[in-house]
Amino acid sequence: MEYFTTTSKASKRAADCVIVGVYARNKLGAGAADIDTSSKGHLSALLKSGDISSAPGRCRILTGVPGVRARRVAVVGLGKFSKMNSTIYKKAVAAAITALDGSKTKKILNTLTLEPVDGTSPYYLARHSVEAMGDTLYRFTEMKSGRKKKPMPLSSYGHSIAKRGDAAKAARGAQHGDGIAKGVSLAKDLGNLPANVCTPSYLARVAKKLAAGNGKLTTKVLNEAEMKRLGMGSLLSVTAGTAEPAKLIVMQYKGAGSDKPVVLVGKGVTFDTGGISLKPGPAMDEMKFDMCGAAGVIGTMAAVATMKLPINVNVVVPAVENMPSSTATKPGDIVKSMSGQTIEVLNTDAEGRLILCDALTYSRRFKPAAIIDVATLTGACVVALGAHRTAIMSNNDALREEIFAAGDAAEDRGWPMPLGDEYAAQLKSNFADMANIGGPGGGAVTAGCFLGKFTDGMDWAHLDIAGTAWKSGARKGGSGRPVPMLTQVLLARCGALP
Ligand code: BES
Ligand code: MN
Ligand code: ZN
């Protein structure tokens, strides 16, 4: 895809389509006003007669508008002018792309970047436009037989800017949006693939493939024997019941010499049956998404590599399948983690923390500038925050604030949750150093506290994405979150934001 920015008028541009916006009460957006003038009132007439709607999310494609060079004009509703915001903006871009999908559109100019969107800069307007387009055009058809619908042959996507001085910023926004969209798309694919395809070995192959031919990126994969030698008894206890080999995937991206890396650790349970503490039947298929932490950090790595960011980032993915069998770990079994601490496995369904703790201990060798783990860790997190926000916990207030702010800027939002000794006390065990569950109250927090016992001395944050990583229901599928949030943290850290 080629991205461009332009200060030229919407009516003058030779594109297959220009996207313009209209507000309630017959108010025209900047692009629409220009089209209206050059077509001698065509748009305002259609608006007044009710043939085009100003409701957010509505779009109508007009062809052959007089006085306009572009073959199509996509007119999208933006709602009330005073209520215009970035959510409506993204919805409008998505509506236009949806309406165009299926047409033979190759070149689009989006003029919505000219609208005042509560203080959003040209950088973010262009970026969110490209991200929204990626989200809208995403399809997961790999597992369907039969002929697949051809994607729209789009090759060029442009954004209108008001002044020349904004060109570089908007261009960078589009470029970053492209990198994030690629990462999100990869994370969605990995989430959506079924567990009989997306195994730990499959994740390892994807990570290796990303590094192939990239001089800045290397991938190393540890097998079970190597993990055993490292003393990862906790991680290995989760894979005890399955024939599917576990993997520890380690990716290193070097974009900034000898700087300390940001380390991203992603839960990669490629299927979570619960193990001997078997889950109930309904919606168990959704536990194929229990590797979305892994998908999120690998997707973020893909975004970083695409953008060639000047930063050092490592990704560590403990990848396992959690199954019951005669060799599976049993409730009450005690295992020894790589840190030396012993754990009483009171519930084999609290397996995410058992693999993450060893991955966190392993990551110490990198002397992280910050370490962030990402996991579909607890049903309790979904109870607390629903499907809208990712839970953010940290042993460092500044790091938690940093991630929170990044989520807002990237429009991939989180919300802070506490940690603390009073919660950690719920993990006491009569027989081992700790239990792997903390009782009925505050389940997302006690899970965070469990991980906190393995991060002493590191600046660490934990993201529970149990509610945000995928959608259930008719539009079931991976969301690609929190790739935008994590990428934003890295963009900000390496000074790549305008
Ligand atoms: N992968 C699940 C958490 C989960 C459940 C995420 C549903 C999204 C939707 C995790 O491994 C798990 O089973 N957690 C248990 C922990 C409990 C046994 C302390 C849970 O949340 O029930
Ligand atoms: Mn589980
Ligand atoms: Zn799980």
Side-chain angles (χ1 to χ4, degrees):
M1 183 82 68
E2 180 221 333
Y3 299 99
F4 66 92
T5 60
T6 179
T7 50
S8 62
K9 287 194 164 138
S11 56
K12 300 269 172 353
R13 194 78 199 187
D16 292 315
C17 182
V18 290
I19 302 172
V20 302
V22 293
Y23 295 97
R25 300 210 182 137
N26 303 334
K27 184 172 166 54
L28 301 173
D34 168 56
I35 299 272
D36 196 50
T37 309
S38 51
S39 67
K40 303 207 166 61
H42 196 74
L43 280 195
S44 43
L46 288 173
L47 199 54
K48 280 189 192 116
S49 63
D51 290 301
I52 46 184
S53 167
S54 63
R58 296 287 298 273
C59 175
R60 211 181 132 185
I61 309 288
L62 307 174
T63 51
V65 179
V68 174
R69 275 187 80 188
R71 183 186 169 84
R72 303 176 184 83
V73 179
V75 190
V76 294
L78 301 174
K80 277 194 180 145
F81 183 71
S82 59
K83 294 251 167 77
M84 179 61 174
N85 63 30
S86 53
T87 308
I88 294 172
Y89 170 79
K90 277 206 251 203
K91 209 169 161 178
V93 174
I97 302 296
T98 303
L100 288 167
D101 196 12
S103 75
K104 296 226 160 31
T105 303
K106 286 190 201 130
K107 187 171 178 177
I108 298 179
L109 172 65
N110 178 7
T111 71
L112 301 180
T113 35
L114 297 171
E115 301 308 315
V117 185
D118 48 35
T120 312
S121 67
Y123 166 82
Y124 283 107
L125 289 174
R127 183 173 129 184
H128 288 144
S129 162
V130 174
E131 289 179 48
M133 182 170 80
D135 259 326
T136 311
L137 293 178
Y138 177 82
R139 296 283 179 285
F140 182 73
T141 53
E142 271 170 79
M143 309 305 290
K144 300 242 195 210
S145 63
R147 201 174 324 144
K148 290 161 192 175
K149 201 177 123 191
K150 274 213 186 103
M152 149 163 73
L154 199 63
S155 59
S156 169
Y157 190 38
H159 295 97
S160 292
I161 46 170
K163 39 186 203 290
R164 284 248 163 268
D166 288 338
K169 286 175 194 156
R172 199 189 317 177
Q175 187 224 339
H176 288 174
D178 182 74
I180 292 168
K182 288 205 167 87
V184 163
S185 172
L186 175 60
K188 285 181 183 179
D189 277 347
L190 294 175
N192 290 335
L193 281 166
N196 61 329
V197 175
C198 185
T199 58
S201 308
Y202 182 91
L203 286 177
R205 279 200 299 277
V206 169
K208 287 233 169 194
K209 224 167 115 186
L210 268 180
N214 185 324
K216 292 194 168 83
L217 186 59
T218 54
T219 297
K220 167 169 103 174
V221 179
L222 275 62
N223 62 25
E224 289 179 13
E226 291 164 309
M227 290 190 260
K228 196 164 177 197
R229 278 201 288 281
L230 287 166
M232 296 187 164
S234 182
L235 186 159
L236 291 169
S237 77
V238 178
T239 197
T242 181
E244 200 59 66
K247 304 285 174 191
L248 186 78
I249 304 163
V250 184
M251 307 175 79
Q252 288 189 263
Y253 173 86
K254 271 199 180 303
S258 59
D259 286 6
K260 284 181 176 171
V262 174
V263 180
L264 305 174
V265 179
K267 172 179 172 183
V269 175
T270 56
F271 197 82
D272 182 13
T273 63
I276 297 298
S277 313
L278 194 64
K279 285 185 178 296
M284 208 210 271
D285 67 289
E286 297 192 7
M287 283 298 111
K288 73 170 184 176
F289 292 114
D290 211 18
M291 35 52 69
C292 280
V297 298
I298 294 172
T300 301
M301 189 57 112
V304 168
T306 303
M307 293 183 273
K308 301 187 170 74
L309 294 187
I311 190 170
N312 291 340
V313 184
N314 293 0
V315 155
V316 178
V317 169
V320 304
E321 186 179 75
N322 187 22
M323 291 285 273
S325 80
S326 73
T327 57
T329 298
K330 302 165 292 297
D333 284 2
I334 295 178
V335 300
K336 190 170 189 172
S337 67
M338 184 181 174
S339 73
Q341 300 176 95
T342 58
I343 303 160
E344 186 184 12
V345 182
L346 288 177
N347 189 321
T348 64
D349 197 11
E351 84 297 341
R353 60 197 81 182
L354 294 175
I355 63 170
L356 289 169
C357 69
D358 280 342
L360 287 166
T361 301
Y362 177 86
S363 300
R364 283 185 183 279
R365 66 186 58 206
F366 301 126
K367 304 198 168 29
I371 181 161
I372 306 173
D373 77 75
V374 187
T376 50
L377 205 59
T378 64
C381 182
V382 191
V383 175
L385 295 178
H388 306 295
R389 288 186 186 242
T390 295
I392 313 173
M393 291 160 243
S394 179
N395 60 6
N396 179 307
D397 291 345
L399 180 60
R400 192 182 53 241
E401 289 294 321
E402 177 186 348
I403 297 170
F404 178 79
D408 271 1
E411 300 207 12
D412 175 11
R413 290 177 217 280
W415 195 255
M417 299 259 267
L419 294 168
D421 293 343
E422 67 275 38
Y423 290 99
Q426 290 178 224
L427 295 164
K428 285 211 169 98
S429 160
N430 284 359
F431 306 107
D433 296 341
M434 70 192 85
N436 77 327
I437 54 171
V445 175
T446 53
C449 290
F450 179 95
L451 299 176
K453 291 179 181 291
F454 299 85
T455 57
D456 266 356
M458 296 195 283
D459 287 336
W460 157 75
H462 160 58
L463 305 182
D464 194 332
I465 56 166
T468 53
W470 76 91
K471 290 190 182 81
S472 305
R475 306 194 58 196
K476 191 190 287 182
S479 66
R481 296 175 70 179
V483 170
M485 177 194 273
L486 289 173
T487 309
Q488 182 76 17
V489 168
L490 302 172
L491 284 167
R493 279 201 175 222
C494 71
L497 295 170

